[in-house]
Amino acid sequence: MDDKTVDEIFTRALSTPTLFTNKTVLRPDYVPSRLPFRQAQVTALGEALAPVLRGFIPSNLLLYGKTGTGKTAVTRRVLTPLGQRTTHTTVPVSVAYSNTRMAGTEYRVLAELATALSLRVPFTGLAVTELFHRILLRIAEVKSHVIVVLDEIDFLVKNYGDETLYDFTRAGEKLSDGHISLIGISNDLKFKELLDPRVLSGLNEEEIMFPPYTADQLKTILTERAQSAFLDGTVTDAAISLCAALAASEHGDARRAVDLLRVCGEVAQREGARHVDESHVRAAMQRIEQDRMVDALKSLPLHQKLVLVAAVFSHSNSSTGELYDDYMALCRRAGSEPLTQRRVSALLTELDLLGLLSVRVVSQGRYGRTKKVNPLVSADFVTEILAPDPSVGGLLVHWPTK
Ligand SMILES: Nc1ncnc2c1ncn2[C@@H]1O[C@H](COP(=O)(O)OP(=O)(O)OP(=O)(O)O)[C@@H](O)[C@H]1O
Ligand SMILES: [Mg+2]
């Protein structure tokens, strides 16, 4: 691309009228001042926590609901004003928040909580138990009542078990001064089954449910969001309805709905269109779907990638047996020990769930039934995405043609 072309791109960007007035309100972490259809949850959380302002101990809480149902938004909407009122309370109150999936490790979760309590801890190096101990000492020292929020708590439990959570629920017994109340947030509805009954009863003193939004509710949410994000009248009603309907098609996920609204705005903007209409929503849907595939593909574990590579380069409708042979050949080339056929079969089911390939059971009359595998992504697509991947990229270059 020469300088002139770049220049033209910038000139065009400056001369096309913008559709957006405030794009920040479409960011995933933006919390709008109004949260329609969540008044009951806001009230329940507010009422559960309010006693802390008068020196009483609130119950531990579990917030539950599928992804994009407003759990984080409601929590932030309630905790921010609570945090602002903690200066004149009888007992000092602090709020410590960590999203355990984003923190990534148990150590970092505790380090984030420590930082929220103005406790300086090293980035790594301490034992988790020591870090926990220091947090308790700090709470006892400032005699503070701490509300600990563990968002996406299922990540922590799935990867590190429920020991730390148990310690949190029992911290009150160890603390002579100060107290900890826990708010756990989860979008995995089976999460409770992972917990030891003692931990569950400690954490689950009260529960707040977040049902999925209906398409109509998403439409209201999007209409309000569009009013603050776009120039008046630029987003058509039909576009908003379609965003809402598409986002409600699996379960009513407001994040998906807002994402769609942002991306369809970007598509329309790039086209130089004056209105955002349904065609932009459809294009946005495709782009999001494509991005989702790319992310899913990149983050697959090694053997999952090898199985997928085998599937996209095998002939179509291959049987699981044929696929397993190709997979083993790939493992040999990658210098990696192959997994058993049974395990590979489980990996195929997971890839099917991710929408990267389809596994169908086909009846073969009196020869019984067999499973046939068909990729849902093209070999070119997989090659483009995985070529830079050091673990499998080399295998894609010299794929033996059949
Ligand atoms: N009632 C609502 N009104 C307006 N916007 C909402 C509402 N509920 C959710 N949103 C918006 O939808 C997006 C997702 O919400 P949020 O992050 O709270 O979901 P979540 O339940 O925490 O999902 P996850 O389990 O995936 O973390 C955010 O941008 C949020 O602002
Ligand atoms: Mg959340």
Side-chain angles (χ1 to χ4, degrees):
M1 195 185 283
D2 57 30
D3 287 356
K4 197 158 155 269
T5 329
V6 179
D7 250 9
E8 277 165 14
I9 293 174
F10 292 152
T11 314
R12 203 167 49 235
L14 278 170
S15 59
T16 16
T18 173
L19 294 170
F20 294 101
T21 45
N22 182 4
K23 218 171 149 189
T24 13
V25 305
L26 297 174
R27 284 171 50 127
D29 53 355
Y30 174 79
V31 182
S33 54
R34 253 173 52 81
L35 291 169
F37 316 111
R38 283 298 173 254
Q39 198 49 48
Q41 286 78 1
V42 168
T43 309
L45 186 59
E47 283 179 353
L49 295 178
V52 79
L53 295 173
R54 316 210 68 176
F56 298 108
I57 295 169
S59 321
N60 291 333
L61 289 158
L62 202 53
L63 272 49
Y64 247 125
K66 291 192 174 167
T67 185
T69 52
K71 301 178 298 296
T72 302
V74 163
T75 307
R76 289 177 53 195
R77 171 73 28 258
V78 175
L79 287 182
T80 310
L82 181 77
Q84 286 157 358
R85 290 201 183 222
T86 52
T87 35
H88 305 296
T89 45
T90 18
V91 178
V93 176
S94 356
V95 176
Y97 172 95
S98 174
N99 179 310
T100 79
R101 187 178 53 80
M102 287 188 201
T105 66
E106 189 170 41
Y107 189 96
R108 264 188 252 150
V109 170
L110 291 177
E112 282 183 8
L113 300 178
T115 307
L117 299 171
S118 311
L119 173 67
R120 287 166 72 100
V121 291
F123 285 127
T124 52
L126 298 179
V128 166
T129 45
E130 169 62 18
L131 197 49
F132 188 78
H133 180 65
R134 289 195 193 181
I135 291 177
L136 289 193
L137 281 180
R138 171 77 184 169
I139 295 172
E141 179 195 344
V142 292
K143 300 184 175 47
S144 175
H145 194 125
V146 184
I147 295 165
V148 168
V149 186
L150 296 174
D151 203 347
E152 306 201 34
I153 190 173
D154 40 296
F155 175 89
L156 186 74
V157 174
K158 280 176 198 154
N159 291 285
Y160 295 91
D162 57 5
E163 214 138 294
T164 298
L165 220 50
Y166 179 71
D167 290 341
F168 267 122
T169 58
R170 303 307 289 267
E173 294 166 13
K174 290 191 191 147
L175 282 167
S176 48
D177 285 303
H179 195 87
I180 295 180
S181 295
L182 262 189
I183 301 180
I185 306 177
S186 172
N187 60 25
D188 180 351
L189 307 185
K190 291 214 184 93
F191 156 74
K192 285 202 266 186
E193 294 166 16
L194 303 173
L195 296 178
D196 185 292
R198 290 174 309 168
V199 181
L200 181 60
S201 66
L203 176 63
N204 197 18
E205 291 171 345
E206 260 185 69
E207 205 170 279
I208 304 179
M209 283 298 299
F210 289 69
Y213 295 109
T214 62
D216 274 349
Q217 291 177 333
L218 288 178
K219 199 175 164 192
T220 308
I221 291 173
L222 288 182
T223 307
E224 289 195 8
R225 203 61 78 91
Q227 274 162 3
S228 21
F230 291 90
L231 274 177
D232 262 359
T234 44
V235 187
T236 61
D237 200 45
I240 290 191
S241 296
L242 185 57
C243 284
L246 289 172
S249 61
E250 265 171 47
H251 71 266
D253 176 343
R255 178 177 304 108
R256 215 165 147 223
V258 175
D259 271 355
L260 254 175
L261 184 63
R262 177 179 48 81
V263 177
C264 71
E266 286 168 357
V267 171
Q269 171 86 41
R270 200 163 315 144
E271 264 182 23
R274 296 199 171 270
H275 289 99
V276 183
D277 62 29
E278 288 157 285
S279 69
H280 302 123
V281 180
R282 293 214 175 80
M285 186 72 184
Q286 268 182 5
R287 215 178 91 187
I288 290 174
E289 203 48 34
Q290 173 104 351
D291 289 352
R292 199 183 65 80
M293 289 283 186
V294 170
D295 287 346
L297 230 163
K298 280 187 185 160
S299 57
L300 292 176
L302 172 66
H303 284 271
Q304 201 103 321
K305 282 183 187 145
L306 292 171
V307 172
L308 181 69
V309 170
V312 290
F313 286 99
S314 288
H315 59 82
S316 57
N317 241 358
S318 48
S319 71
T320 42
E322 289 167 315
L323 196 80
Y324 188 67
D325 290 342
D326 285 344
Y327 158 79
M328 286 212 294
L330 271 178
C331 286
R332 270 195 299 279
R333 287 177 52 208
S336 181
E337 190 67 24
L339 302 174
T340 62
Q341 187 154 4
R342 220 180 122 143
R343 190 67 198 105
V344 167
S345 190
L347 294 185
L348 281 170
T349 310
E350 286 170 24
L351 289 168
D352 183 319
L353 283 174
L354 288 169
L356 292 165
L357 49 75
S358 85
V359 184
R360 271 185 316 126
V361 179
V362 180
S363 166
Q364 297 198 309
R366 61 198 175 89
Y367 297 107
R369 283 153 18 125
T370 176
K371 281 186 186 165
K372 297 282 188 191
V373 181
N374 279 298
L376 297 174
V377 281
S378 71
D380 285 347
F381 178 70
V382 172
T383 307
E384 186 190 326
I385 308 304
L386 293 185
D389 185 321
S391 58
V392 294
L395 302 173
L396 299 164
V397 186
H398 305 292
W399 183 263
T401 43
K402 295 195 173 211

